[in-house]
Amino acid sequence: MKLEEFINKNTTKMNEIEQQFVEDIFYTYAGENGLDFLQVQTPFEDYQNKKRKLDFTIKTNRYKYVIEIDGYTYHAEGAQRVSPEYFDDLLDKQNDLVINEWVIIRFSYNQIRNHPEKCIDTLRRAFKKDCQLNPYFLNQDLFSPTYPQQTALDNMEFYRNTGKNKGVVLMPTGMGKTVLAALDAKRINGKTLFVVHRNDILQEAFHKFNEIWPESTKGFFNADEKNTTAQVIFASKDTLYREGNITLFSKNHFELIIIDEVHHSACTTYKNILDYFTPKYMVGLTATPERQDRLDILQLFDYTIYYELKQIDAIQAGYLSGFIYYGLKDDIDYSKIKHNGIRYDVADLGRKLNIPERNKAILDKYKLIAPEKKALGFCVTIDHAISMAEFFNQNGIPAKAIHSDTTRLSSEERKAYIQDFRDNNLQILFTVDVFNEGVDFPDIEALLFLRPTESKTIFIQQLGRGLRLNPNKNHVIVLDFIGNFKNADRVKEFLGGKSNGNLGGGTPNSNQFPVKGELDWPLGCEVNFDESVEELFKRLDQDNSKITKQDLIENYYIVKEALKKKPTSSDIDNPELSQYKSSQYANLFRSWNNFIKEIGEATKASYHYPQGTHLGHIFYIIHTIKNKKFNNLISPEVYAPEGNVTEIGRQTRYKVWACMELGLLFDDRNPDNINDNETFTHLTPNGEKLYHILEEEVIDPTFYDFNNSESLTWSMAHQEKYFNDFIKKLSDSQKSDLEDIFFKMDAVQQMLKFLFHENKNIKSFTRTYIYSNFFSCPFVREYLEINGISQSSSEGAKRRIPFILNILEAFGVVRFVDRSTLELIRLPYIPVLFGSQACMDATIDYYTNSTIPNKEILTELKTLFGANFMTPQYFLTKN
């Protein structure tokens, strides 16, 4: 149905925001075919025979959907709340729909007006299992970035604006890395080089770029074609680097160079290509960051990771299909196969695995578990792949072997087999390291792992071949034949099973399988093990489809009551506290931030990033509260956690919140304690520690004086520097005690990471630069999202940064050169900056004993602090 026809037909049934939903969200995603499913104001009679109307409904052969659009129920100061009766009626309506097997999707007015792209993403995830609806949505994926793609694009823009023009994007297979690259290239709109290690990937990339950026000219640089003039050139790395070829281009010919499957870039050929060209921007793409030479990859890209999304997280968020995994018994005795201590001998492995008995067992399991499923089989050798294809053909299952031996398979035959597979003329392709990466078959329904998977990289690549969303499948079936090969138990880690904080359960490197209930598999996935191990691995099926928003809301308040404070997403992920996980909140509410906003639990940025505050205010509040000397400036009445406050009361709030955020006062921001002033008037143990240091050292009677004692003001007689100098004059042990307190504040830790990690090897900063970029930094944005922190404006952000810098100056981390410029003068040894105790110990050892750490630790440190770290070029010297 045409959009105009749909609007005209239903215009009297929809209000303005509902019409906007149809035009900007549903039609944008579903198109005209999708409108054929959409019904407006559907009558519904509940269990009490009460007649109701549902905003929008959709019915397919498999599911019934309700899309409800509501205004906010505000909880902010002075806002109108709905009555308890109305709220109960809404719950009755929702419960009745769930009981009658309706899938409920809810949007707010604000989401539709201000975040249509997130609403579209919600629809995509909601409909991904529905064969009738999904095709219409998949058609649009190439032209509109998904949420992860948009986040990656935003991150790249941020880092480039801060001077980091080389970086890596880590995204799992099926998430659209090539689409991301095309979107990035299109917005840069310059000459682009796309480099791959295999020619068949070039064709795939060409088609994706052509759909995203059709107006650009394109050409190949490979064995068949040497285009040097097109705006976008797709190059084979082997052809590009052959003698004489690379010099056909000037060093600065390209504005953007993209290296696909960058985990191959550690090889000499790639390094030489990267060393030759000097583009404005360079991006590496890979789905497999676990490769052992990850260290060398990061070195090539200046240790900058633009964006990272793990395969498990993508599955749980609905961007990839789930899997049903079968670990099947393999009777091969791998102890008889040659092993060099690192991997099996391929030739010996191929001979021992390619035997009639095993081939028949594989065929029987395939017929039993995945009959008639379109499948890829990953083999050991070319002979193994050919034998498997012949055996399946002999048993009536159309199959071919795809491999790299051109003497047995011409390029024309290979292309024809792949096309036959795409056209469903073949049921199975058996391959040897050909389809681990780069070529997409979204309709793959089954994967056969026919060799021991010793590498997590290879396992994830192979699994990724079947995880692309497709309307004709809900999941991919994985048949993995597991024997007594070395490190076989790592499959638990590869699949993402977690137990007691360890991937795969049990203790690290343990050969013992976990007991019932220990493992936690990705949402939407099932794991099954054959008879020989089924008592050791219990199938875990996490069906999230019956979980409702109300279930999650009730769980949130149960956790909140147990903690006596507002839970974080980490608290929700604690199985001892919570029945559900934060990923399930993200599934139903789009994100953790959206969830706490929807229930009115979001906090303001001023809670976490105090404004209008310096250390003198902190000292005064601690001294006043300890001595119970409340006055008109600091009192529960002026502080007034809720209700209308004066300007001076608002300033008092900011300063009291700063003390709470520093952990010096018991935090009363829990709404349950909003009328309980007892917490406000008590110091925490850290508050007591600060008070005793103040009592020991403060002699000057004017230390806490204010400029005008006749009126209420927070303008103190002494400026920030006076109180910062007080800190600097303390003994080393006293400063260490206070540093432990002040550097545990989230905002301080974030600023340290921003200065040392995000701006590697930069010594001097302007205030303007920090004000403009701090809150745009990816990990700060993520913190705001996870904790539901609302950032009002860029101007408001600037007012919240001085206090953080004030703390760093007091403890000698930064020095103000003048009013507008500061420089780093000390690297503090705190865990958040080093990632691990080993890295911190190695740094201390280097700065005290000149000991260079091993390569692995050194690379981790360079990833954090930049390529010049622990070299004479690093701006902070040993002295």
Side-chain angles (χ1 to χ4, degrees):
M1 181 182 295
K2 298 288 186 182
L3 177 61
E4 184 179 358
E5 179 186 352
F6 183 91
I7 297 298
N8 290 337
K9 177 182 176 182
N10 297 289
T11 186
T12 59
K13 300 179 182 179
M14 297 185 294
N15 60 29
E16 179 184 351
I17 199 69
E18 290 167 344
Q19 183 170 326
Q20 186 178 348
F21 165 77
V22 173
E23 294 175 343
D24 295 348
I25 296 169
F26 191 85
Y27 177 75
T28 299
Y29 204 54
E32 293 177 356
N33 291 324
L35 291 176
D36 294 336
F37 290 91
L38 193 65
Q39 299 297 315
V40 181
Q41 291 296 310
T42 304
F44 174 71
E45 191 172 288
D46 66 16
Y47 72 102
Q48 295 176 328
N49 298 320
K50 183 176 181 178
K51 297 186 184 299
R52 300 177 180 272
K53 292 289 184 67
L54 307 176
D55 292 344
F56 296 97
T57 59
I58 300 171
K59 291 185 180 181
T60 67
N61 293 339
R62 298 187 61 191
Y63 298 105
K64 300 183 299 183
Y65 303 92
V66 173
I67 301 174
E68 290 281 81
I69 298 173
D70 301 305
Y72 273 134
T73 300
Y74 288 94
H75 296 277
E77 178 181 307
Q80 182 67 38
R81 303 187 185 206
V82 299
S83 68
E85 293 78 13
Y86 180 74
F87 185 74
D88 290 345
D89 187 62
L90 289 178
L91 292 183
D92 286 340
K93 177 182 177 182
Q94 177 168 301
N95 290 337
D96 208 47
L97 289 169
V98 171
I99 292 168
N100 284 278
E101 299 183 340
W102 287 85
V103 177
I104 303 174
I105 307 166
R106 304 188 72 96
F107 297 115
S108 71
Y109 288 4
N110 180 67
Q111 287 174 312
I112 292 170
R113 287 195 182 103
N114 300 319
H115 304 289
E117 74 287 347
K118 293 187 177 181
C119 298
I120 291 172
D121 200 46
T122 298
L123 291 181
R124 178 189 62 78
R125 292 187 297 112
F127 297 142
K128 76 169 189 172
K129 292 184 179 181
D130 200 309
C131 296
Q132 283 184 274
L133 292 176
N134 212 16
Y136 308 118
F137 304 128
L138 290 176
N139 288 339
Q140 298 297 322
D141 279 355
L142 286 175
F143 306 102
S144 176
T146 62
Y147 186 74
Q149 287 169 345
Q150 187 60 57
T151 303
L153 289 168
D154 292 343
N155 286 11
M156 284 191 278
E157 183 177 12
F158 168 83
Y159 286 120
R160 287 167 179 167
N161 288 338
T162 61
K164 296 180 181 63
N165 294 328
K166 294 167 65 176
V168 182
V169 174
L170 310 172
M171 293 175 73
T173 299
M175 289 300 299
K177 293 185 294 298
T178 308
V179 171
L180 170 68
L183 291 167
D184 187 41
K186 181 177 181 179
R187 70 177 178 178
I188 290 175
N189 194 27
K191 289 190 174 182
T192 300
L193 177 67
F194 191 93
V195 186
V196 303
H197 66 288
R198 277 208 331 269
N199 207 48
D200 49 3
I201 303 177
L202 285 181
Q203 299 293 332
E204 294 278 334
F206 179 92
H207 293 308
K208 293 283 176 63
F209 268 73
N210 211 34
E211 290 177 296
I212 300 294
W213 194 12
E215 60 271 25
S216 64
T217 58
K218 302 171 187 70
F220 293 103
F221 196 92
N222 56 16
D224 302 321
E225 180 183 341
K226 302 290 188 300
N227 191 312
T228 60
T229 60
Q231 186 172 10
V232 183
I233 292 176
F234 301 89
S236 161
K237 58 102 176 173
D238 291 325
T239 303
L240 182 62
Y241 187 65
R242 284 201 179 96
E243 187 175 353
N245 283 344
I246 198 168
T247 55
L248 294 175
F249 303 95
S250 66
K251 289 179 177 289
N252 62 354
H253 181 89
F254 298 102
E255 188 168 357
L256 171 65
I257 292 181
I258 303 161
I259 308 296
D260 193 36
E261 304 296 353
V262 73
H263 52 281
H264 294 281
S265 65
C267 68
T268 303
T269 303
Y270 265 122
K271 187 177 187 306
N272 291 334
I273 291 172
L274 297 178
D275 288 343
Y276 176 79
F277 286 109
T278 57
K280 184 175 182 181
Y281 305 113
M282 187 177 293
V283 179
L285 307 174
T286 181
T288 55
E290 289 77 17
R291 184 181 167 100
Q292 291 301 308
D293 57 10
R294 168 189 175 113
L295 313 181
D296 299 318
I297 295 167
L298 291 174
Q299 183 179 15
L300 290 174
F301 287 85
D302 292 343
Y303 300 94
T304 298
I305 296 176
Y306 282 150
Y307 178 71
E308 181 170 9
L309 177 68
K310 296 184 183 301
Q311 188 179 72
I312 295 303
D313 296 330
I315 292 172
Q316 294 191 143
Y319 295 108
L320 297 176
S321 79
F323 58 78
I324 298 180
Y325 172 92
Y326 293 88
L328 305 170
K329 183 181 180 183
D330 190 350
D331 288 324
I332 299 297
D333 185 358
Y334 286 84
S335 66
K336 308 292 185 182
I337 300 175
K338 296 177 184 177
H339 193 279
N340 65 6
I342 299 175
R343 61 181 60 88
Y344 286 99
D345 179 85
V346 173
D348 195 31
L349 190 63
R351 285 191 296 269
K352 299 292 175 57
L353 297 189
N354 188 16
I355 58 176
E357 296 84 356
R358 187 175 190 263
N359 295 349
K360 183 178 185 306
I362 291 169
L363 176 67
D364 291 343
K365 288 295 186 182
Y366 171 76
K367 286 183 173 180
L368 176 65
I369 299 173
E372 302 181 358
K373 299 291 186 185
K374 188 172 184 176
L376 281 179
F378 298 97
C379 301
V380 184
T381 62
I382 292 174
D383 287 339
H384 186 207
I386 293 173
S387 294
M388 291 302 304
E390 291 175 349
F391 184 69
F392 270 62
N393 275 310
Q394 291 166 7
N395 286 273
I397 299 174
K400 291 292 182 182
I402 299 290
H403 52 79
S404 56
D405 187 347
T406 56
T407 64
R408 291 194 278 183
L409 182 70
S410 68
S411 59
E412 291 76 16
E413 288 176 313
R414 176 169 161 160
K415 289 179 182 177
Y417 292 166
I418 291 174
Q419 191 58 50
D420 282 344
F421 189 59
R422 292 192 188 281
D423 296 339
N424 297 319
N425 296 324
L426 292 174
Q427 191 168 326
I428 297 183
L429 286 183
F430 291 97
T431 179
V432 185
D433 296 336
V434 173
F435 297 136
N436 281 358
E437 56 197 19
V439 180
D440 297 330
F441 300 110
D443 57 347
I444 290 292
E445 301 170 280
L447 301 170
L448 280 63
F449 293 179
L450 307 182
R451 58 160 296 160
T453 310
E454 303 170 86
S455 160
K456 184 175 183 179
T457 294
I458 299 300
F459 188 96
I460 288 175
Q461 285 177 343
Q462 293 179 172
L463 180 61
R465 290 299 100 204
L467 296 182
R468 281 191 183 274
L469 297 179
N470 185 267
N472 297 316
K473 71 179 184 188
N474 292 331
H475 50 254
V476 65
I477 295 174
V478 182
L479 307 184
D480 191 4
F481 292 82
I482 300 175
N484 63 338
F485 55 83
K486 294 181 182 294
N487 297 323
D489 61 328
R490 287 197 68 201
V491 71
K492 298 172 291 182
E493 173 192 341
F494 299 166
L495 288 168
K498 293 181 289 185
S499 172
N500 300 324
N502 294 320
L503 280 175
T507 57
N509 302 320
S510 170
N511 290 323
Q512 298 298 315
F513 288 103
V515 297
K516 175 181 178 180
E518 282 192 17
L519 288 179
D520 180 14
W521 305 111
L523 292 171
C525 301
E526 299 178 14
V527 174
N528 308 273
F529 285 82
D530 212 356
E531 292 84 355
S532 61
V533 292
E534 67 178 355
E535 70 276 6
L536 307 171
F537 265 110
K538 177 67 177 175
R539 171 180 174 176
L540 298 176
D541 179 10
Q542 295 189 19
D543 181 7
N544 196 33
S545 62
K546 299 300 182 184
I547 298 175
T548 67
K549 282 189 173 183
Q550 191 58 33
D551 292 331
L552 299 183
I553 292 171
E554 290 176 1
N555 179 71
Y556 173 88
Y557 285 110
I558 290 172
V559 176
K560 181 177 179 179
E561 183 177 348
L563 293 175
K564 302 302 181 187
K565 71 178 185 70
K566 189 178 82 171
T568 65
S569 57
S570 298
D571 294 325
I572 295 297
D573 284 328
N574 184 344
E576 295 182 1
L577 295 170
S578 173
Q579 182 180 353
Y580 304 110
K581 295 187 176 298
S582 61
S583 59
Q584 292 166 296
Y585 285 78
N587 281 342
L588 287 185
F589 290 89
R590 181 60 188 85
S591 72
W592 175 257
N593 191 22
N594 285 347
F595 162 69
I596 59 177
K597 283 182 179 178
E598 189 166 322
I599 65 171
E601 289 276 275
T603 60
K604 298 177 182 178
S606 299
Y607 286 153
H608 304 268
Y609 305 93
Q611 64 185 64
T613 302
H614 61 70
L615 290 177
H617 300 143
I618 302 297
F619 297 160
Y620 173 74
I621 291 172
I622 296 306
H623 182 269
T624 299
I625 289 179
K626 176 63 178 179
N627 292 298
K628 306 295 183 185
K629 295 180 179 179
F630 297 109
N631 55 25
N632 290 332
L633 182 61
I634 175 168
S635 67
E637 292 74 24
V638 172
Y639 166 56
E642 192 176 61
N644 295 320
V645 292
T646 62
E647 179 58 33
I648 193 66
R650 187 171 291 105
Q651 292 179 28
T652 299
R653 277 188 186 177
Y654 294 150
K655 293 160 179 58
V656 171
W657 287 342
C659 291
M660 293 176 179
E661 193 68 19
L662 284 164
L664 304 172
L665 296 181
F666 283 105
D667 199 330
D668 70 351
R669 287 171 288 181
N670 181 346
D672 291 343
N673 294 330
I674 228 163
N675 296 315
D676 179 3
N677 292 317
E678 286 302 307
T679 53
F680 167 64
T681 60
H682 283 71
L683 304 184
T684 65
N686 280 337
E688 295 280 355
K689 183 183 294 185
L690 173 58
Y691 172 78
H692 288 301
I693 291 175
L694 291 172
E695 286 296 288
E696 290 173 7
E697 299 297 331
V698 174
I699 301 173
D700 182 357
T702 68
F703 192 78
Y704 299 117
D705 278 1
F706 287 83
N707 281 334
N708 184 356
S709 59
E710 300 300 321
S711 62
L712 291 181
T713 177
W714 274 101
S715 177
M716 303 186 78
H718 300 293
Q719 299 301 309
E720 297 158 34
K721 184 178 184 302
Y722 176 83
F723 300 101
N724 286 10
D725 289 342
F726 169 79
I727 293 285
K728 294 173 184 177
K729 294 174 183 177
L730 296 175
S731 69
D732 289 343
S733 63
Q734 289 174 324
K735 280 191 287 191
S736 178
D737 286 344
L738 292 187
E739 187 170 297
D740 285 344
I741 295 171
F742 283 86
F743 281 18
K744 284 180 180 176
M745 183 179 179
D746 288 347
V748 172
Q749 293 188 354
Q750 290 165 12
M751 182 59 73
L752 288 170
K753 289 172 65 177
F754 174 78
L755 296 174
F756 284 97
H757 292 176
E758 299 305 317
N759 296 276
K760 299 177 175 67
N761 208 42
I762 297 176
K763 183 176 184 178
S764 181
F765 298 85
T766 65
R767 285 182 184 267
T768 301
Y769 175 84
I770 297 173
Y771 292 166
S772 300
N773 291 284
F774 176 70
F775 283 104
S776 300
C777 185
F779 66 82
V780 179
R781 292 202 320 261
E782 182 181 14
Y783 178 84
L784 298 176
E785 173 77 14
I786 289 173
N787 290 280
I789 301 170
S790 300
Q791 185 66 271
S792 57
S793 67
S794 57
E795 287 302 312
K798 293 178 184 179
R799 294 194 296 271
R800 299 185 180 103
I801 289 177
F803 179 56
I804 310 173
L805 298 178
N806 177 221
I807 291 173
L808 296 186
E809 199 275 336
F811 288 95
V813 175
V814 305
R815 179 178 72 87
F816 287 100
V817 179
D818 51 45
R819 291 182 62 85
S820 63
T821 308
L822 62 87
E823 64 179 16
L824 298 176
I825 58 175
R826 180 174 74 90
L827 173 63
Y829 293 116
I830 60 173
V832 71
L833 279 180
F834 291 90
S836 70
Q837 188 65 43
C839 285
M840 189 159 74
D841 290 344
T843 303
I844 295 172
D845 195 26
Y846 170 77
Y847 278 94
T848 54
N849 302 316
S850 300
T851 304
I852 303 295
N854 64 47
K855 181 180 179 182
E856 184 175 349
I857 289 180
L858 181 60
T859 302
E860 290 299 319
L861 288 170
K862 287 178 179 291
T863 302
L864 294 171
F865 296 101
N868 289 337
F869 194 65
M870 289 191 176
T871 71
Q873 288 72 43
Y874 192 62
F875 67 94
L876 290 178
T877 65
K878 294 183 183 182
N879 298 327

